[in-house]
Amino acid sequence: MSTQIRWGVVGPGRIAEKVVEDFAVVDGARAVAVASRSQARADDFAARHGLDRAYGSYKEILADPDVDVLYVATPHPQHHAIALAALRAGKALLVEKSFTATTPGAAEVIDLARETGVFVMEAMWTRFQPAVVAMRELIADGAIGEVRSVQADLGVTREYDPADRLFDLALGGGALLDLGVYVVSFAQMLLGTPERVVAAGSLFPSGADAEAALLLDYADGRTATLTTSLRNALPGQARVFGTAGWIDVLPRFHHPETIVLHRAGADPETITRPPLGAGYSHELIAVTEGVREGRQESDVMPLADTLAVQRLLNDAAEQLGVRHAEDPAVLT
Ligand SMILES: NC(=O)c1ccc[n+]([C@@H]2O[C@H](COP(=O)([O-])OP(=O)(O)OC[C@H]3O[C@@H](n4cnc5c(N)ncnc54)[C@H](OP(=O)(O)O)[C@@H]3O)[C@@H](O)[C@H]2O)c1
């Protein structure tokens, strides 16, 4: 492996356009290649972002010996087959959220990661934001006592378009996998894995979930109350309540700059920690360092948390009548 970690982008869509820009602020890492299902789209992306190589199929980038890590930015059901093939090819992975479309799909990728010893991480960029890191340090120092409950919401208004990946079940559509993953992963980070989830919500005509409210029950009085929607905007606020105070994570909490600490009996303290670049840099740094140091996973976004979050999301989706499936054909 060269001293510089060489990255490849798979699926040059909307988010890949943004994430690739953040390599400019990451030391020791460079995006060198891109793979699209279309040679023209790959060429265009590579030209605009200064990448060396452009592939018109995903299989070709898997065979490039001069790529160390792949950033997988396809829709959710297309992550699974690409991730498995990449691990077999010895490529480390940053896989966009939601990690997969199904719980067995996530388990299969994680099992193979552990078997091959290759670094894999879900691109849950929230956990790496400096303001969230500061919040976790305060909580670990006992600033709000024992965490008893979490509230979080994340929702956007999107005009219904059955062909868009947000609404098309074959592309993993629905609020839960797209935005619900943020509120669930946030609760998982602070409270661990709940005993059960109770979900209420509604569906779009495509069968994808439009909105959902989740109650996470930890069976010892601890709870999380979470809301997500593609039908209407929500502020994107999170609150963490402890026995000695609470912390507000100001909107939008999935990439916040500011938290407000309310210690019991004291004036609120405002803490601002802006991200580096657009905020994707921090997850890129975590993966780059993990790969360079020969680690297999991240302590901040561990694979066990990814699996627990995936299970909870699929469980909640099934309570609403939504069943997701992986797309094994993406590499054919
Ligand atoms: N971290 C964040 O802030 C953030 C924000 C938005 C989305 N995301 C995540 O990133 C992933 C992609 O989201 P996006 O909004 O960028 O999606 P998008 O704009 O639709 O792009 C996805 C790309 O995947 C490729 N692809 C492969 N198989 C496909 C298929 N069967 N149908 C459609 N496209 C397919 C396409 O590129 P080619 O055909 O050119 O290969 C497409 O451009 C999702 O997992 C999403 O949850 C993360």
Side-chain angles (χ1 to χ4, degrees):
M1 190 176 293
S2 72
T3 50
Q4 192 164 57
I5 303 299
R6 300 158 303 181
W7 285 68
V9 175
V10 179
R14 287 169 283 195
I15 191 60
E17 286 287 339
K18 296 186 190 173
V19 170
V20 75
E21 289 289 311
D22 262 9
F23 280 104
V25 295
V26 177
D27 288 336
R30 196 175 156 240
V32 297
V34 60
S36 164
R37 294 173 300 169
S38 134
Q39 187 65 52
R41 279 200 296 277
D43 289 341
D44 178 55
F45 187 91
R48 283 184 295 102
H49 297 291
L51 312 191
D52 302 338
R53 298 181 294 286
Y55 297 113
S57 78
Y58 297 160
K59 278 187 177 159
E60 285 171 86
I61 203 167
L62 298 175
D64 183 337
D66 296 319
V67 169
D68 305 309
V69 188
L70 290 176
Y71 166 56
V72 179
T74 60
H76 320 120
Q78 286 73 36
H79 296 171
H80 168 255
I82 295 167
L84 291 177
L87 286 171
R88 291 188 191 110
K91 308 289 185 211
L93 285 169
L94 175 65
V95 180
E96 260 308 342
K97 53 55 107 186
S98 291
F99 192 64
T100 52
T102 68
T103 308
E108 203 183 343
V109 174
I110 290 169
D111 285 350
L112 188 61
R114 293 192 170 134
E115 203 181 301
T116 55
V118 177
F119 187 99
V120 179
M121 194 180 93
E122 180 186 2
M124 180 41 69
W125 61 315
T126 305
R127 293 194 181 199
F128 299 91
Q129 300 306 306
V132 173
V133 173
M135 179 194 76
R136 294 184 80 179
E137 285 168 2
L138 285 168
I139 292 170
D141 286 349
I144 58 166
E146 183 201 352
V147 176
R148 297 299 300 171
S149 65
V150 170
Q151 285 178 355
D153 63 70
L154 195 60
V156 293
T157 313
R158 286 280 181 274
E159 200 178 326
Y160 178 65
D161 171 2
D164 191 291
R165 74 160 184 88
L166 290 175
F167 306 97
D168 183 351
L169 262 190
L171 297 178
L176 281 165
L177 289 190
D178 196 64
L179 297 176
V181 63
Y182 285 110
V183 291
V184 170
S185 189
F186 193 77
Q188 174 79 27
M189 174 179 85
L190 293 159
L191 292 167
T193 305
E195 282 292 310
R196 66 181 181 129
V197 56
V198 180
S202 71
L203 306 184
F204 288 117
S206 63
D209 47 296
E211 60 202 331
L214 310 181
L215 172 66
L216 276 50
D217 175 4
Y218 289 80
D220 57 3
R222 292 178 305 139
T223 53
T225 47
L226 311 172
T227 320
T228 188
S229 180
L230 286 172
R231 223 192 258 293
N232 60 280
L234 296 165
Q237 170 85 50
R239 291 202 163 105
V240 186
F241 301 94
T243 51
W246 75 91
I247 295 175
D248 289 336
V249 186
L250 299 192
R252 294 202 295 159
F253 86 88
H254 68 309
H255 56 116
E257 291 205 358
T258 302
I259 60 172
V260 183
L261 170 62
H262 299 259
R263 294 182 202 261
D267 287 340
E269 294 167 50
T270 299
I271 297 152
T272 297
R273 298 271 187 281
L276 184 62
Y280 306 106
S281 58
H282 302 287
E283 63 183 7
L284 300 177
I285 292 167
V287 176
T288 297
E289 287 177 353
V291 170
R292 179 170 297 115
E293 290 163 12
R295 281 190 267 125
Q296 293 181 20
E297 62 179 291
S298 159
D299 298 341
V300 177
M301 187 62 248
L303 293 170
D305 272 17
T306 287
L307 185 58
V309 168
Q310 190 72 45
R311 184 170 287 125
L312 198 148
L313 289 168
N314 288 116
D315 182 350
E318 281 173 25
Q319 289 180 37
L320 302 184
V322 179
R323 259 194 178 274
H324 287 286
E326 308 295 357
D327 173 14
V330 63
L331 281 176
T332 57

